[in-house]
Amino acid sequence: MYHNLITNNPKEVTELPELLHPKGTPCYPGQSYILDYLKKYADKFELGKVIKFQTWVDRVAFHSGSQKFKVMVRDLKEAQSANILEEFDYVIVATGHFNYPRYAEHPGLETFPGLQIHSKYFMDAEEVSFTDGSSEKFDVIIHCTGYKHEFPFLEENLQLKTPNRLAMPLYEGIVFPNNHKLFYIGMQNQVYTFTMFWLQAQVVVKFITGELRMPSDETVRREIEKHQADELCEVKDIFTCMDFQSKYVRHLEEITGNSKCDATEILRQWQNDKMEDIKTFKEKSHFKSRYA
């Protein structure tokens, strides 16, 4: 994350209903503000009491006999920490999918004599624009080509295998079809972030408590296939991409009994602002909180 990074979408899209942004907060805050916002959210609900910080997960496996997950962890605060084996009824993978860089594959890249790095490792950003179709010689290539979904801490049969897309091969975009006690949060290609994760977490709670029940394996398969087919049919550009995920968010709202997370109008105006002037769209501030 480079030092001068500011958010790419309006704060009103990521605002959580239990913690509103203070008046005067910039429409596109910097990374330090977002970190502080998340810390305040965690403090409000005393989440630090139930989180094991500086703990490395080495391995997650499912034992079919006990129907429990065996999780091998290490305490990073201890220099010579031994592996600790713990058992859990459920596992939620909420690691995100922005850790393992995806590099471009293009003829000739292997012959480039200069430095090639991924944007993940780029700390100070500068903007380069070409408007006349000219070409130049460069010393460095920066791959801004996204990330791969990889989960090396999970045993093979628990790993989500997917490209970056809106319709995940997960029931309700959350439940792993081969093991209904395993949940993935926030694995979609993202238009929405915090609010979608917030809704997905509530769906997970409903499955764990039994308020929601899994249908048959055949129904799960059909639902996943239909959602992915709908994506291929409906998503043609950035606007239909936003609409598709907005529809998913409204579906989660219906399941959880929440409202106001749908940010379709804000997202469309945000995209129009970018298309009008990509260099100045973050200077605008014409959005309002959906919860105030």
Side-chain angles (χ1 to χ4, degrees), residues 84-281:
I84 303 170
L85 182 63
E86 300 187 42
E87 285 191 339
F88 296 93
D89 295 314
Y90 300 91
V91 164
I92 302 169
V93 180
T95 56
H97 53 90
F98 299 102
N99 192 44
Y100 296 92
R102 179 186 301 279
Y103 287 87
E105 297 180 2
H106 189 78
L109 274 178
E110 69 280 359
T111 65
F112 179 69
L115 175 66
Q116 295 191 48
I117 62 171
H118 192 273
S119 58
K120 170 183 171 70
Y121 307 109
F122 190 54
M123 302 304 293
D124 291 294
E126 294 181 4
E127 187 174 289
V128 178
S129 301
F130 296 95
T131 59
D132 60 357
S134 61
S135 61
E136 298 288 345
K137 293 182 178 180
F138 296 96
D139 299 316
V140 179
I141 292 177
I142 302 173
H143 293 252
C144 302
T145 43
Y147 297 82
K148 297 181 288 186
H149 288 65
E150 291 192 2
F151 310 94
F153 55 90
L154 295 172
E155 66 178 355
E156 186 72 20
N157 62 356
L158 299 176
Q159 292 182 17
L160 173 64
K161 305 288 188 180
T162 181
N164 191 28
R165 62 180 302 172
L166 296 169
M168 285 286 109
L170 301 165
Y171 181 67
E172 300 292 12
I174 301 167
V175 187
F176 192 58
N178 299 334
N179 188 318
H180 300 166
K181 303 179 84 174
L182 174 63
F183 307 95
Y184 283 87
I185 288 180
M187 296 301 152
Q188 291 79 2
N189 186 12
Q190 293 162 6
V191 177
Y192 291 78
T193 53
F194 299 162
T195 50
M196 183 174 69
F197 309 157
W198 180 75
L199 290 168
Q200 289 177 326
Q202 293 179 58
V203 173
V204 170
V205 170
K206 289 181 181 294
F207 275 118
I208 291 176
T209 60
E211 187 176 343
L212 288 175
R213 296 190 179 277
M214 288 294 295
S216 68
D217 289 344
E218 176 59 24
T219 299
V220 168
R221 182 187 63 78
R222 286 201 311 267
E223 288 293 321
I224 291 174
E225 289 179 353
K226 181 181 183 304
H227 194 209
Q228 294 189 326
D230 288 345
E231 178 188 14
L232 293 175
C233 179
E234 297 176 21
V235 177
K236 305 300 182 184
D237 54 29
I238 184 58
F239 289 100
T240 50
C241 172
M242 294 187 297
D243 291 345
F244 188 84
Q245 192 154 92
S246 291
K247 183 170 65 172
Y248 172 63
V249 165
R250 290 193 296 271
H251 175 67
L252 296 178
E253 286 183 324
E254 184 178 351
I255 294 175
T256 59
N258 289 287
S259 61
K260 297 186 178 181
C261 290
D262 178 12
T264 302
E265 292 185 9
I266 295 175
L267 289 169
R268 283 185 159 268
Q269 183 59 58
W270 163 62
Q271 188 60 35
N272 283 327
D273 289 346
K274 289 201 295 182
M275 294 174 70
E276 181 179 314
D277 193 331
I278 192 64
K279 295 181 180 179
T280 63
F281 77 96

Side-chain angles (χ1 to χ4, degrees), residues 12-47:
E12 289 79 8
V13 176
T14 59
E15 184 176 51
L16 295 165
E18 299 107 329
L19 185 64
L20 304 188
H21 294 292
K23 289 184 178 180
T25 303
C27 189
Y28 298 89
Q31 58 163 314
S32 59
Y33 174 85
I34 296 298
L35 177 59
D36 184 62
Y37 178 79
L38 293 175
K39 286 181 176 178
K40 287 179 179 177
Y41 187 89
D43 291 343
K44 181 175 182 177
F45 295 99
E46 299 183 322
L47 299 181

